[in-house]
Amino acid sequence: MNDYMTGSLILIAAFILDILLGEPRRYHPLVGFGNLTQKLERILNKKSNNKSNNKGNDKPWRTRLFGILGWSLLTLPLPLGYYLLHQDTLLFWCLDAVIVYSAIGYNSLVKHAKQIAVPLLNGDMQQARHFCSYIVSRDTSNLSEQEIARATTESVLENGHDAVIASLVWFAIGGAPFVILHRLVNTLDAMWGYKNPQFLYFGWCAARMDDLLGWPTAKISSLLYASQALWCRHTSIFNALRNGWCQGRQYKSLNGGWAMATGATVLNVSLGGQGIYDGKVVESVTLGQGPQVTTTDIVPSLNLVRNAAIIFIISCFLVSLIAAV
């Protein structure tokens, strides 16, 4: 069995595990990583955390250095150690499958999205807003049904890249060590990558490195989303990718913009608009094309992510078969 075939079988096994089991209910590795991240941040980012300091952050370069140090300590040892220990044996193939399974989160994405979609369909706005607050950073307390549907669909398409496609792609590129690295970097960005006084400088490295690792995988995710336009009548692969290129560049998150614009075009819906973040109204560029997204578009967005993952895994398997000839 060649390395390509082994890798494709590991991807198949990991995706099936996620579909069947979902996220580990207890002792999820990212929970422990999150706790460690918070403790280290309190140690290294004391000045920004000191509310009584009237001078504020008067030496940004020093805070950035501490942020780089924290990022390095949290993200590099584990993937490097696993790379050095890794052997081409059945044991490590099984470990690889478990690592990829732990990194991808399609099952969890479905669970969270349906926790919102079902109350919306039943007219329970309070519960829908409650669960919507779990997956977005904007204020959900006064969102309308359409705004909740928009927020959920945007989250599905963006996290379809971050939590599903990116892990599959990085495994195909560099194996389990790259999957570990990407997942830790992406999680750290979610915790430190904010432009507020606490993380503006300290979280600079975390945000930039997540952008860097997400750049190639966002383009591949967009291509996988766009490829599904082959069985759509309202758009084409070219048009979906063109919207990803043109609209994604104007969005606040370049990588997320690519994935959302392309996915929305294939779904034939429009995303973007106003949102309230930290008490401020933020206007987002329109992503995709067609009518405004509705509650009935949430499940199709989940299917788009699932199909993208399946297309990528099948493509890897076909490459492995060609390599074996």
Side-chain angles (χ1 to χ4, degrees):
M1 186 184 301
N2 61 46
D3 291 340
Y4 296 108
M5 180 65 73
T6 302
S8 62
L9 292 177
I10 288 171
L11 287 179
I12 292 171
F15 194 66
I16 290 175
L17 284 174
D18 179 70
I19 294 294
L20 295 177
L21 303 179
E23 287 186 337
R25 296 183 179 180
R26 299 181 65 184
Y27 310 117
H28 195 292
L30 290 181
V31 174
F33 177 75
N35 294 333
L36 179 61
T37 296
Q38 291 178 334
K39 292 178 181 178
L40 188 62
E41 189 267 334
R42 285 195 292 268
I43 295 171
L44 297 179
N45 196 26
K46 285 183 178 180
K47 194 160 191 177
S48 295
N49 287 321
N50 186 2
K51 302 293 190 297
S52 62
N53 186 356
N54 296 325
K55 291 183 179 181
N57 212 329
D58 58 352
K59 292 185 178 179
W61 63 267
R62 180 179 295 177
T63 306
R64 281 188 177 180
L65 283 178
F66 278 120
I68 293 171
L69 174 62
W71 181 90
S72 301
L73 291 173
L74 288 167
T75 63
L76 298 181
L78 189 57
L80 182 59
Y82 190 77
Y83 170 78
L84 294 174
L85 292 173
H86 194 277
Q87 299 178 26
D88 195 20
T89 64
L90 179 60
L91 172 62
F92 278 94
W93 295 343
C94 293
L95 285 174
D96 287 350
V98 172
I99 288 170
V100 179
Y101 152 63
S102 299
I104 60 179
Y106 178 72
N107 188 300
S108 177
L109 198 62
V110 171
K111 175 184 175 182
H112 288 299
K114 288 188 174 181
Q115 278 182 326
I116 300 167
V118 172
L120 279 181
L121 291 172
N122 293 332
D124 190 344
M125 293 297 296
Q126 183 176 356
Q127 190 174 24
R129 290 174 181 136
H130 170 72
F131 285 117
C132 186
S133 68
Y134 286 12
I135 65 171
V136 298
S137 58
R138 73 194 70 171
D139 182 7
T140 64
S141 58
N142 295 305
L143 294 185
S144 65
E145 178 181 346
Q146 192 280 324
E147 289 171 328
I148 294 174
R150 178 197 127 201
T152 306
T153 305
E154 288 176 351
S155 179
V156 167
L157 294 176
E158 185 171 18
N159 284 295
H161 160 248
D162 290 340
V164 183
I165 307 301
S167 293
L168 300 177
V169 171
W170 279 120
F171 180 81
I173 293 174
F178 274 52
V179 175
I180 298 171
L181 177 64
H182 169 262
R183 206 70 194 95
L184 296 182
V185 168
N186 185 248
T187 303
L188 200 57
D189 173 62
M191 301 185 71
W192 289 0
Y194 296 99
K195 292 183 178 180
N196 57 29
Q198 183 178 354
F199 292 111
L200 180 61
Y201 300 112
F202 186 80
W204 172 83
C205 178
R208 296 290 77 78
M209 293 306 297
D210 184 64
D211 289 342
L212 179 63
L213 290 181
W215 190 89
T217 55
K219 308 307 177 289
I220 294 173
S221 293
S222 296
L223 181 60
L224 292 169
Y225 288 168
S227 67
Q228 297 173 62
L230 286 172
W231 49 85
C232 295
R233 295 182 178 180
H234 57 265
T235 191
S236 64
I237 294 177
F238 173 78
N239 188 49
L241 291 175
R242 181 180 60 185
N243 284 347
W245 166 255
C246 297
Q247 298 171 355
R249 289 186 299 168
Q250 303 174 52
Y251 191 67
K252 60 184 179 180
S253 167
L254 178 60
N255 295 331
W258 263 83
M260 285 190 281
T262 308
T265 302
V266 175
L267 292 172
N268 194 34
V269 298
S270 293
L271 303 174
Q274 287 188 348
I276 300 177
Y277 299 84
D278 297 324
K280 298 179 181 179
V281 177
V282 177
E283 185 75 33
S284 296
V285 64
T286 298
L287 301 172
Q289 62 182 40
Q292 286 190 324
V293 65
T294 65
T295 303
T296 57
D297 295 307
I298 294 175
V299 171
S301 70
L302 290 167
N303 294 339
L304 193 76
V305 174
R306 180 201 61 203
N307 294 342
I310 293 173
I311 291 169
F312 182 78
I313 293 172
I314 291 175
S315 299
C316 290
F317 185 72
L318 292 176
V319 169
S320 71
L321 290 178
I322 295 172
V325 175

